[in-house]
Each structure stands twice: as C-alpha cells, then as structure tokens.
Amino acid sequence: MGPLSREAWAQRLSAFRASPSTSMAGPEGEDLGRDLLSDLRSEKLSEQTKVGLQVSPALARVFTPARTELHLRNFLLNSPSQVSLLALSLEYPAQLWPDAATAEAAATSLLDTLVLLPPRPSALRRPLLLAATTALAVGGALGPTSEASCRLLPLLLGLAMGRDLGRGFGPTSEQRPLQATACECLRELESCKPGLLGGSLGLLRSLLGQEGPVQPLSLLLALALRNTLVLQSRAGAGLQGLLMTKVFPTGSGPWDWTLTEDDTHLQPQIPSWPAAERECGAAALEPSLEEAKELRAAVAQLLDTSYLLTPVAQAQLLWLLGWALRGLRGQPPALFKPQLVRLLGTAQLTLLHAVLALKAAFGEALFTAQDEALLLRRLTLAAQHPSLSPPTHLFYLHCLLSFPENCPLGPEGEEAAPLLLGPRLCHGLLPSLLHDPMALLARLHLLCLLCAEDEEEEKGQIQTPQRYLQELLAGLQQRAALDGGPRALATLCFQASYLVARYLGGQPLVLTPLIHGLAKLYRARPVLAPHFVDLLDQVGPELGEPLRVMLWQEVVSRRGTDEALCWHLQLLAKVVDGDSQSATLSFLQDAAAYCTDWVLQQALLRVCRALLRVSGGGGLADLLQALARQLEDPDGRDHARLYYILLAHLAGPKLGVALGPSLAAPALASSLVAENQGFAAALMVQEAPAPIRLSLGPSRAEGPLPVLQLQVEVLQPIYSLELRFQVEGQLYAPLEAIHVPCLCPGRPAQPLLLPLQPRCPAPAQLDVRALYTTPTGLTCHSHLPPLSVNFADLFLPFPQPPEGSRQSFFEDLWDSCLPKGAESRVWCPLGPQGVKPFVSRHLEPFVVVAQPPTRYCIAIRLPPDSRLLLQLDSAQADGVPVALRTDDWAVLPLAGDYLRGLSAAV
C-alpha cells in the first residue's frame, strides 16, 4: 500500500491524539509507527505535512528541564498549522517506541532518512535530529551496544562543532541552526546518561571562543562539566586531562562510554537551594595544579559570556557551576564575584533565585555581611511593592522564609527568621485581613517566626509582634463566626491557628487567647465541628490538650435538645475522656431522646464507643442497656447491645483490642474477641475468585432497545447477586445493574435480560463485576471476564408496514439515506446452502420484501437513530451481490465487516 494522503494522515493522527492508548490497542495501532517512518521518506508528501504543526502542550513536555523550548518552537512556529508526522514522534515517543528494540529501529530509520535528504535547504533536518534523540532517550536504547547511538553521537558532536559533514547536511546558511539543535540534543543525552560527554570536554571548551550559538553550547559544556566532576569525585579519580583533550571520536571508532554510570541519580538541573544542600558537589575531588588551572579558566570563560544568555539560561548555568565547584579545592568562589555584582540588583526572578542558590552553596565565602544585609533588605522591600502579582509576591515571601544565612543560629534544619530581619525591617510585611489567603498565610508564617525569637516583650514598644498576632487571630475568628459565612473564611482561620500552634506551641501568652477564641468560635458555629476535629488531629499536646478540655466543656454545657446535636456528638466523640464522666453521660442521656434517625443514633453510639476505650463504669452500662431497648433502628440497638456485652465481659486492654481489631494486634485467648474480629470481617466486602460463569445467549430483536440475554451458571450457592456492567468510553449510556435473589448449581436459571442504550451504533466490551453473599454469610465481589457486544446484537426491526405497501415503504427508506449517508456493494459467498437459508438463518426478523429465491429487501434499525438497508439481488450459485445503504457513514465499515464475517462462517 502506498503512502497515505495528507487528509488521511490528518484523520489518523487526530484520532490518535484524541486517545493514544485506545488507538494503539486498535487494529492499526501496531502499524502506526512503521507507517510514520515509511511515509517520512515519501516524496508524495510535502515537508509541511511532515513537519509543520502548531505547538501543542504535550510537545513542550517531551524534553526534560535540561532542554529549552526555544529551538523547538522556532522551527515549529515557522510552519503552517498542518498535520505533522515528526511532531507526533516527539509528543508520544513512549507510545510509538515502547521498548528498546523498537526505539533502536526507529532511530536507525530516522538517521537513514536524514542522510538521504537532498543538499538543498530542508525543514526536516532539525526535527529528524530531535526525533532520533528522543527515540533513543525515551525508549531506553541509549548505550554502547546500540548502533544507532554510535551513529548519532559522533554526528551530533560534529554538527555542534560546526564541521562540514557533507552535502547531505544542507547549505552553509543552515549550519548555525543545526549546530544549536545538535547542542540541545547532546544536552538531553547527557542528562539521560551522565558522563556521556566527559571525554569531549576539551572539544566543547574549544568551541566557546569560536563563532556559533553561545547559549546552547554554554549550557551543554556546563552540564557535562558538572556531571564529570561529580562522577569523578564519587570514583575518587581526577579530571585526567579531560579539559585539555581535543580528540574527535570518528564515526567508525567506538564512543567512550567509560565515564558513564548506570542508575546514576544526580541533582535536578534547576536552582533549588534547600534540597541541594544535601549534595556535596565535587568536594571529594582533588585536581592537580594544572587541572585546577584549566578548570578555573573554563569556569571563568563560561561566566564571562553568561550575560549573552537569557535569564532562565543564566540561572541554570550559575546553578550548575556553583554546585559543581562547591568545596572543590583550588577553585575559590571569588570566580562568581563579578556575576554577583552584576546580579544583586536584577529584577529577574530567575536570576534572583540563582543568586540565592549561590549563597546557599558558598555562604560567607562569597557573600559578605554587607552583601547579605543588602540582599535581605532588597527582598523585604520588594515583597512590599503594591503592584506585585500574587505569584511574585509569594515568591519573595518564600525567599524570606527560606533565606540562606551565612551563619545561622540553632540546629540544622530548624526554621527561623533571618537574624537581620527584625520587627522594624519587616513592619510592612505584617499580615492583614485584606490580603488574599495565600499571602496572608505566608506573612503569618513569617510573623510566627519573628514571635518565636521575640518571646520577651520589648519595653516601650507600643505594639509587639505577639499583640499584633493576637489581634489578627481575633479578627480571623470573628469572620469565621459569621452565621452563614463562606466556608473559605473558616478554613483560613483554622489554617492560621495551625501555623500558630506549630511555631508558638511553647508560648502561653499566645496559646491562651487562641484557645479561648476557638472555644468561642465553636460556641457561635457548631457546624465547624469537622474543622475542630481535623485541627486536634494535627496539633501537638501544647494546644491539643487544653483545647480539648475547653471544647468538652462547651459541648456538655449544652442541652441535648440543641439543633446542632449532630455536630456536638461528632466533636464529643473526639474530645471525650475518662475524667468527669458523669457530665458526659448526663448529656448523652438527654440527647438519646432526640436521636430519632439513623445518623444521630450512630453519632451517639460513636461517643459511647469512645467512652468504652477510655473508661467504663456503671453509668455507661446503664446507658447502653437503655439504648439497646429504646433506639428505633435495629442496627443501633444491635450496636448498643454489643457494646454492653463487651463492657460487661472484658477488661481494659482486651476491650481496647476488641473495639479496634488490627492485624498487628496479638491474638487474645478470648472467644469474644475472636467472635468480634469475625464480625468485623463479615462486615467487609472481600474480593474472591468468581464462582459465576456468564455467557451471551441469542439477542432479542424486538422492542425499542436491543436486549442482551445472559446465561448464568454458578459453582456454589450464592445469594443476593448483583451484576454491574460498565462500558469503556461514552459508547453506551450507563447500564442498570441486574439483581438475582438466589442461584444454585445444577438448577437451571432463567436468562437475565440486559437492555442496552447505545449512543452510537458500535460494538463494545462490557466490564462485569459481581457482588454477592456466600452461604457462610460473607459479602464478596469478583471481576468476571468481559462480555463482547457484537454489531449484530444491536439490530432492531422496523415496524411492519401494512400488506401491499412494503415495497414502497422500503423504497422510501432507501431513498432517504442519501445524500447524507453512504452506500456500497459487497459480494457475499453463499456456499451450497443458497440465499434463502442464508437469509432465514441470519436476517429473517428484518426482511421487509421477500421474492425468493432472487430478491430480498432488508431494513435494520440501529439505535439510537441510524438505519442499515440491504438489497440481495440476482443470487448466483456461489454467492449474491449485496447493495448497502445507510444514513450514517460510520455504520458502513461495520456492516461490511459483519457481512464478511457471515461469508467466512459459510
């Protein structure tokens, strides 16, 4: 078969992008990658069809952070918005080349296509390089045993060096873009296999002083240098003259893989000082004097040209070099001083982030106290600028909260405000109720750190940070207490309370008013009980214990008839303890009379369960006995009776195990405990092998909807069977479950009827799950083999017209299909049986006009609103021609497959 047309590729790739997994699982999925590689060489497709595409979001995610999108977007944006074969291989390489063998074959084919390109300018060269690189990297084929890798690496290095590789690589005007793309590809391969370019450091360094793309080459050299230093330090070896070696590996000679390591995990290539502190860079490496001199010269050369790079590329370059040289002997951090002077006043957030990363790496060895004070003051003033966008505002606040100090006090990892950041300097950063929630929480975080260092109030100070914090919390609590107020205000109040409890848990001057304020908030809005439960789960005992006591007092002081009884019971189950049990029992006795529905009764029993865990007593036993008699719901009565039995027969430790069975708990010599654990198991739905066999019977061609007949057999008695069906995608409307009270093996069961509601006339697979009860009383669920709904299962007959008008009825249907629909003709072999038995066996319910043995007119209704018409004319000895018409063109291939299947069965 020849190459597909541009329109055919457009439809095929559009369907693939809509659902890659479904497309690859289809009949044409295995051939997509092979057809794509084959048609790339076809001269019948234009280069725009092979390359030109609008940039999709998925394409931007193909490359790791090591590769910028600049070069990729340049060649894609210069082309029309058409279907692209190469862009598909960049967007979905894992789907097209899922293993190393297919990735190796794809990369080889792409390189062959690249070599065969004519010498004229072509838009295919750069995408082909990127596609071959992506196939090797994503498919896991990159390695010394890969022939495509041994072809691609010298080719990329030669292009990056600007060498003349022959007429096949385009005119001189195309060499500079190719050089930039080759650098990007090499950087991606170096990221996937650190140390891959260690033997080419001298060659790459020699290119910096020549004409060529500065940014791709600088980032490539910085990444290769950093990886080599880290790997050599781990191996305990020196640089071994790698910065001075300028031998170019030939295409026929082997590539040097000795410096690479398998399963190497290096630091991500983005500036991130808190995480990067765990990596020691190349501190263990001790280069010789000559190597140290060459290394210093290479780093200085990279830094001197860094101003030519974009801000993002500059930040990445500084981070790579900084963490590569951190602690390296013979490499003073003063190399970065000129860049530091240039960047301290930058307005670019990426560069400011890189400066902070350098500060975290070198500390006082690079930043003086004056530099630290200047940087901290600049961050503080910038964070107060009124025109900042919310993300930028949060960035500055994050930098202040994570500021890397030269000489931090306290243990490593402990959060603290910078020493130079006093209350007066950050007065403009105090949180306010007018700030948006994220900014308020970040400012509150900073305020808590300041309050933690300023425990003693300064004399003569009008408003201390602690007093301001108390006023802020009071304002948040007042807003959260508004009746009918938005839930977001309440959530913000509890988030702020958690921050204060986390950082100021040891300051009673702050916690005491916070506890009283929260108790007052619950008094005003009991509906916030779930928030209080979550807060008690998160905070430590400094706030949790006194807050629990205050909330318990608030609950038991209410009458059990309160409208918020459900919330009171929910909170009481969390805060109840063994002390003052009489007050709790009195509240529960009053509340029991008003627990009339199942929800309230279960909430009441949860409080009783909590009391069982912390204490017992005669009062609780009397309450449980009363509940076992009075509760209207049988489930509630059974639980109350069970709790009473456990309380009467088990001591404290055994009672705790019985109420909270765990697989890790030791087995106790008590039949009650074992019985309770079995009771808990009986309440759980367990997965088990399916004792059910489900098959499809003959479909019913009657009624408004197609109905499947399901034949069910069981291997053991099952009860309360529920069969649930699900169709992948949106082909059918949701299917109702089928319920069967009882099934026994050996006893014939009536067929189960499953109505279908197709949204389009297409076959599908039904995922089947069964939920049932075993004779032992356990509830189990099982996955059954999927059921296939064939195209013929959707056939429905038209209402029979009056006698004498059937021919005109069929002709009207036949004419109404066009021009909207489609028509076709197929040859249907019959075998020795002839046309009449063939129609009687397969199509009898749908025959409208029958003139045996020569002519049959068949009308089939396909839900929801499609039709399929067949005319069998002039039957011959070996077969019959069939004319097909339909008002839905999508039905035509399905009908053809159906008829061919009937012929094959003959």
Side-chain angles (χ1 to χ4, degrees):
M1 186 178 68
L4 298 178
S5 65
R6 175 176 173 177
E7 291 73 16
W9 269 115
Q11 295 180 1
R12 190 172 182 183
L13 300 188
S14 177
F16 177 84
R17 285 191 174 92
S19 179
S21 58
T22 304
S23 180
M24 294 301 294
E28 297 182 353
E30 297 181 358
D31 301 332
L32 179 59
R34 183 178 66 252
D35 295 343
L36 186 149
L37 295 174
S38 175
D39 284 9
L40 280 175
R41 301 186 184 185
S42 172
E43 297 182 357
K44 296 182 179 181
L45 295 179
S46 65
E47 290 189 353
Q48 286 78 13
T49 303
K50 299 175 183 178
V51 180
L53 254 199
Q54 58 188 9
V55 178
S56 66
L59 190 57
R61 295 192 297 269
V62 171
F63 297 104
T64 63
R67 182 186 303 160
T68 61
E69 301 176 28
L70 177 61
H71 302 291
L72 193 59
R73 288 179 175 271
N74 281 343
F75 77 78
L76 287 176
L77 290 174
N78 291 332
S79 304
S81 297
Q82 300 167 349
V83 178
S84 168
L85 306 184
L86 282 173
L88 189 77
S89 67
L90 294 175
E91 292 181 45
Y92 304 98
Q95 286 80 8
L96 293 174
W97 335 118
D99 51 48
T102 55
E104 171 80 10
T108 301
S109 177
L110 291 168
L111 290 175
D112 292 342
T113 304
L114 176 65
V115 173
L116 294 176
L117 288 178
R120 64 175 182 270
S122 174
L124 286 176
R125 289 189 178 87
R126 298 169 66 197
L128 282 170
L129 287 175
L130 292 169
T133 302
T134 303
L136 289 176
V138 176
L142 183 64
T145 60
S146 167
E147 295 184 3
S149 301
C150 296
R151 288 179 59 189
L152 179 63
L153 287 170
L155 173 62
L156 292 175
L157 188 59
L159 290 173
M161 297 182 64
R163 289 198 169 195
D164 185 9
L165 300 180
R167 299 178 59 214
F169 287 91
T172 306
S173 60
E174 202 174 344
Q175 295 307 308
R176 189 179 180 91
L178 277 175
Q179 188 176 1
T181 303
C183 290
E184 296 292 341
C185 293
L186 286 173
R187 188 151 61 101
E188 180 63 23
L189 296 178
E190 172 68 21
S191 302
C192 298
K193 188 76 71 172
L196 182 66
L197 298 175
S200 305
L201 287 176
L203 286 173
L204 296 176
R205 181 191 168 193
S206 65
L207 298 178
L208 281 180
Q210 304 177 10
E211 293 185 2
V214 178
Q215 177 167 304
L217 186 58
S218 299
L219 293 177
L220 175 60
L221 177 57
L223 177 62
L225 180 61
R226 180 255 188 185
N227 288 347
T228 302
L229 289 174
V230 174
L231 294 177
Q232 292 297 93
S233 66
R234 292 179 179 179
L239 286 175
Q240 303 172 358
L242 294 175
L243 282 170
M244 295 170 280
T245 303
K246 300 181 180 180
V247 178
F248 182 83
T250 61
S252 58
W255 185 270
D256 184 9
W257 298 87
T258 58
L259 297 178
T260 60
E261 289 187 7
D262 294 331
D263 300 328
T264 300
H265 301 284
L266 299 183
Q267 191 69 27
Q269 302 160 33
I270 52 174
S272 176
W273 66 88
E277 290 177 357
R278 307 187 192 98
E279 186 177 310
C280 62
L285 186 64
E286 297 184 11
S288 64
L289 293 178
E290 185 66 22
E291 289 175 343
K293 180 180 178 182
E294 291 295 329
L295 179 59
R296 187 161 53 250
V299 172
Q301 191 175 6
L302 284 170
L303 292 175
D304 289 343
T305 58
S306 62
Y307 72 95
L308 298 174
L309 278 59
T310 63
V312 175
Q314 287 187 58
Q316 190 174 12
L317 178 70
L318 292 173
W319 185 86
L320 287 171
L321 295 179
W323 286 103
L325 302 182
R326 183 189 182 194
L328 186 64
R329 295 184 181 181
Q331 304 300 323
L335 287 171
F336 295 93
K337 197 65 177 180
Q339 307 303 320
L340 183 62
V341 174
R342 177 173 66 90
L343 297 176
L344 274 179
T346 181
Q348 296 288 338
L349 299 185
T350 53
L351 294 178
L352 180 59
H353 201 249
V355 170
L356 292 172
L358 288 177
K359 191 176 189 311
F362 298 105
E364 59 185 353
L366 180 60
F367 288 77
T368 64
Q370 291 79 9
D371 294 335
E372 185 177 53
L374 174 62
L375 187 57
L376 191 60
R377 183 173 181 82
R378 181 173 179 273
L379 288 173
T380 306
L381 295 177
Q384 303 176 34
H385 200 283
S387 64
L388 290 179
S389 63
T392 306
H393 185 198
L394 292 176
F395 168 78
Y396 282 115
L397 291 174
H398 171 75
C399 292
L400 288 172
L401 291 170
S402 307
F403 188 78
E405 295 183 271
N406 287 347
C407 302
L409 298 180
E412 183 180 359
E414 181 183 7
E415 282 193 83
L419 294 176
L420 300 178
L421 188 65
R424 290 185 176 86
L425 181 59
C426 65
H427 185 270
L429 293 177
L430 296 179
S432 168
L433 297 178
L434 300 178
H435 290 126
D436 64 272
M438 295 300 296
L440 187 147
L441 291 175
R443 288 171 175 250
L444 178 61
H445 188 176
L446 183 60
L447 178 59
C448 290
L449 295 179
L450 293 175
C451 292
E453 298 179 356
D454 189 25
E455 296 187 16
E456 298 182 0
E457 298 186 5
E458 298 182 10
K459 296 182 180 180
Q461 192 171 352
I462 299 177
Q463 188 178 38
T464 62
Q466 289 88 347
R467 191 174 306 168
Y468 185 88
L469 178 60
Q470 295 174 15
E471 295 177 358
L472 176 68
L473 292 175
L476 290 172
Q477 292 163 1
Q478 288 177 4
R479 294 201 308 177
L482 295 176
D483 190 19
R487 182 59 64 94
L489 294 180
T491 302
L492 179 61
C493 176
F494 283 94
Q495 289 173 334
S497 301
Y498 169 75
L499 279 177
V500 174
R502 177 180 177 183
Y503 294 104
L504 302 176
Q507 296 192 21
L509 291 177
V510 177
L511 288 186
T512 301
L514 174 61
I515 293 170
H516 286 85
L518 290 174
K520 186 178 179 181
L521 174 60
Y522 180 76
R523 190 182 311 134
R525 291 191 70 186
V527 72
L528 299 178
H531 291 274
F532 282 96
V533 173
D534 292 340
L535 181 63
L536 289 171
D537 287 335
Q538 299 296 327
V539 298
E542 296 84 1
L543 175 65
E545 186 60 27
L547 180 59
R548 184 193 61 77
V549 174
M550 291 288 294
L551 292 175
W552 174 81
Q553 293 175 354
E554 284 292 333
V555 173
V556 298
S557 63
R558 304 287 186 100
R559 294 185 57 191
T561 61
D562 196 287
E563 296 179 356
L565 180 58
C566 180
W567 306 118
H568 296 330
L569 292 174
Q570 181 178 353
L571 184 60
L572 188 59
K574 181 67 180 177
V575 302
V576 70
D577 64 355
D579 301 332
S580 304
Q581 188 179 10
S582 59
T584 304
L585 291 174
S586 176
F587 174 83
L588 294 179
Q589 289 170 357
D590 293 340
Y594 298 92
C595 294
T596 56
D597 60 355
W598 184 86
V599 175
L600 286 175
Q601 292 175 15
Q602 293 301 312
L604 179 65
L605 289 169
R606 277 193 290 269
V607 181
C608 296
R609 185 187 182 98
L611 281 173
L612 280 174
R613 289 175 177 171
V614 298
S615 65
L620 180 58
D622 295 340
L623 175 63
L624 290 173
Q625 277 188 320
L627 293 178
R629 293 191 304 265
Q630 297 175 5
L631 293 181
E632 299 179 1
D633 186 74
D635 183 44
R637 292 196 302 269
D638 291 344
H639 275 82
R641 189 176 298 109
L642 174 63
Y643 294 159
Y644 174 76
I645 294 173
L646 293 176
L647 177 62
H649 290 81
L650 297 181
K654 293 184 179 181
L655 184 61
V657 175
L659 292 172
S662 171
L663 296 177
L668 300 180
S670 170
S671 60
L672 282 175
V673 174
E675 181 181 350
N676 186 50
Q677 289 175 344
F679 176 70
L683 293 178
M684 298 174 60
V685 179
Q686 304 178 10
E687 186 172 6
I692 306 168
R693 294 175 181 172
L694 200 63
S695 59
L696 283 176
S699 58
R700 297 176 54 181
E702 58 184 31
L705 294 174
V707 178
L708 295 182
Q709 294 196 58
L710 306 180
Q711 303 290 342
V712 59
E713 298 179 8
V714 294
L715 306 179
Q716 66 180 36
I718 60 174
Y719 306 95
S720 301
L721 172 64
E722 179 179 290
L723 295 174
R724 301 175 180 177
F725 305 89
Q726 186 176 3
V727 185
E728 184 178 355
Q730 303 293 326
L731 294 177
Y732 296 174
L735 304 178
E736 295 184 358
I738 296 179
H739 299 84
V740 183
C742 176
L743 288 173
C744 295
R747 186 180 301 174
Q750 294 292 331
L752 306 180
L753 302 182
L754 178 63
L756 303 178
Q757 298 183 34
R759 290 172 174 161
C760 62
Q765 274 203 336
L766 303 183
D767 180 54
V768 188
R769 299 185 181 186
L771 186 69
Y772 56 92
T773 302
T774 65
T776 59
L778 296 179
T779 302
C780 302
H781 73 94
S782 304
H783 288 265
L784 302 182
L787 297 177
S788 297
V789 180
N790 299 319
F791 181 58
D793 295 331
L794 306 178
F795 289 1
L796 292 174
F798 279 89
Q800 287 294 338
E803 199 68 34
S805 61
R806 294 188 175 187
Q807 182 66 38
S808 61
F809 173 74
F810 182 82
E811 291 176 355
D812 292 341
L813 290 177
W814 185 266
D815 295 336
S816 66
C817 291
L818 297 180
K820 184 181 71 171
E823 63 178 342
S824 179
R825 298 183 69 88
V826 297
W827 175 260
C828 188
L830 296 177
Q833 62 180 349
V835 66
K836 184 176 180 180
F838 175 81
V839 173
S840 300
R841 181 178 179 183
H842 300 290
L843 301 170
E844 179 65 31
F846 316 106
V847 175
V848 178
V849 179
Q851 298 175 358
T854 58
R855 185 170 184 267
Y856 290 89
C857 298
I858 299 167
I860 301 173
R861 186 165 58 90
L862 295 170
D865 54 1
S866 301
R867 61 188 64 170
L868 173 64
L869 307 179
L870 308 176
Q871 283 194 35
L872 285 69
D873 291 320
S874 305
Q876 302 178 16
D878 57 342
V880 59
V882 182
L884 296 85
R885 272 197 186 183
T886 176
D887 59 348
D888 185 357
W889 65 269
V891 171
L892 203 58
L894 298 174
D897 293 340
Y898 169 69
L899 292 175
R900 283 188 287 271
L902 296 181
S903 302
V906 171

